[in-house]
Amino acid sequence: MLKNRIIPCLDVKNGRVVKGINFVDLQDAGDPVEQAKIYSDGGADEICFLDITASNENRDTIYDVVEKTSKKCFVPLTVGGGIRSVDDINKLLNCGADKVSINTAAVQNSEVVVESSKKFGSQCIVVAIDAKKNNDKWEIFTHGGRNNTGIDAIEFASKMESRGAGELLVTSMDRDGTQAGYDIELMSKISSKVNIPVIASGGVGNLDHLVDGIKLGNASAVLAASIFHYGKHSVKEAKEYLDSKGIPVRI
Amino acid sequence: MNVTIVDYNSGNISSVINSFKEVAKDKVNIEVTSDLNKVKSSDKVVLPGQGSFKSCVDALYNFNGLVDTLNEFAISNKKPILGICVGLQMFADIGYEEIETKGLGWISGKVSKINNQNGKYKLPHIGWNEINITKNSKIFKGIENKSHMYFVHSYEFVPEDKNVISATTDYSSNIVCSVERENIFGTQFHPEKSDKIGLKIIDNFINL
């Protein structure tokens, strides 16, 4: 039986972890490689890096991070943030990323998704959808949630599937950072619309939220950042909790 | 000992390279090449593959003499070869992804789309699934039945001779996920992404 995945996400800026696990025995709390290793040793099903480096001159730092991490972690590694072209994707994959997550570029020009999924295979192309509720629909935001495009998120999800995306990473901008739980309605609407796996993101504050994302939101995988940081919960605890709720997980 | 990972532009193989180097340490030399002489002289060969069946077969034929060299290596000389994902699928006679495409024909059978019961199951089949070990394959030495492996695929290999199957996994149907016939080994899952247990399979292959 296929297991639901738990994916811890690390925000990386200028090659350093911005928020992360705050363990006393960490030699360097800002080192993404060391943090990723802790997650993978703890049973993370995948690791996600979100590069939030703002300045162009520091953009290359992520390549070094990915290269080092892929030599230490032998679970799938997804990298997102600032990916603009097929060439960017190629570079990340060559450094050892297994998947890339494309957000703004996919919205601005869906040919990037078509071209990259043809070139590298759909399995490594994740389209990240950042959506915010506006009356009775959800609209796509780009540029790290700053620009409202007015595009309907659910229709866009379907479009991305047809363009060749292998998975969708759906983040609710309303919930992100609130710790109030995933936007279940958004997740389940997109999940029932498309035939590719949906990864739920944005808003996890406790372990029940992970359960809801899978049971109510029909997500194949759940991504979370802050509950795993600062040692609030370990990935192992999360898995044991999901297991106790009857959700199939890899333990 | 030399283990060659065949680099034939089959997509992203850096994870395969990293995992083999991690397991090999300094004991075994890992080559990443499409050089025919290096393939010929190596002790073991790894055939990775990402993307579609057609794109991988096309990429393989793009290297002049590579298919002949692999045939000689695996069929005539019976040296150990491990196919991963589409690398395994290419062992088949024929694949149906994009358009009907001839495979290497090493293990009779076809590669067809997973029956996802009219959308009841998501495709690709992505994530960790348990394997049911059905025969005592050499690459499963020390691997417990029902171990979790990482999968990502929409097509499955259906061999004619069921005796070649060494493991299956349950999704929308029972899917063949590992084969072994004499010196030919293949996994549909990605040992290079299956954590310590996956590295153990790589170690078993290196130590054959």
Side-chain angles (χ1 to χ4, degrees), chain A residues 144-177:
Chain A
R146 290 187 299 274
N147 293 8
N148 184 5
T149 64
I151 297 167
D152 184 277
I154 294 157
E155 282 167 25
F156 181 75
S158 210
K159 182 178 162 186
M160 287 302 107
E161 176 181 27
S162 68
R163 292 292 191 273
E167 284 179 284
L168 299 174
L169 168 60
V170 182
T171 305
S172 158
M173 301 304 296
D174 300 302
R175 298 298 179 91
D176 203 25

Side-chain angles (χ1 to χ4, degrees), chain A residues 1-3 5 41 45-46 70-71 74-76 93 96-99 123 166-167 191 194-196 250, chain B residues 12 14-15 18-19 22 50 119 122-126 128-130 148 150 152 170-171 193-196:
Chain A
M1 181 188 235
L2 184 65
K3 304 302 162 81
R5 287 167 282 157
D41 286 348
D45 296 310
E46 294 180 24
S70 69
K71 290 192 170 115
F74 299 95
V75 299
L93 295 177
D98 297 289
K99 311 183 200 181
Q123 84 288 336
E167 284 179 284
S191 185
V194 298
N195 254 321
I196 51 178
R250 174 181 69 114
Chain B
N12 177 25
S14 41
S15 287
N18 285 337
S19 60
E22 170 75 12
Q50 281 199 354
K122 302 260 180 198
L123 283 182
H125 169 222
I126 298 186
W128 297 81
N129 209 332
E130 288 164 352
H148 287 96
Y150 187 79
V152 47
D170 291 312
Y171 191 49
K193 286 282 112 185
S194 296
D195 216 343
K196 292 177 192 76

Side-chain angles (χ1 to χ4, degrees), chain A residues 3 7 13 15 17 21 44 59 65 68 77 95 107 122 126 157 173 181 185 204 208 213 215 227 241 244:
Chain A
K3 304 302 162 81
I7 308 173
K13 190 176 183 180
V17 173
I21 322 159
R59 246 179 219 297
V65 167
K68 285 181 178 146
L77 175 63
C95 288
V107 178
S122 287
V126 182
M173 301 304 296
E185 211 187 338
V204 175
D208 279 311
K215 280 198 167 171
I227 61 157
Y241 190 73
S244 77

Side-chain angles (χ1 to χ4, degrees), chain A residues 85-98:
Chain A
S85 63
V86 173
D87 189 47
D88 289 345
I89 297 169
N90 193 26
K91 269 203 269 184
L92 282 168
L93 295 177
N94 278 334
C95 288
D98 297 289

Side-chain angles (χ1 to χ4, degrees), chain A residues 177-195:
Chain A
T178 64
Q179 309 219 353
Y182 297 120
D183 183 338
I184 294 301
E185 211 187 338
L186 171 66
M187 301 306 156
S188 67
K189 277 213 156 83
I190 290 184
S191 185
S192 61
K193 182 87 178 176
V194 298
N195 254 321

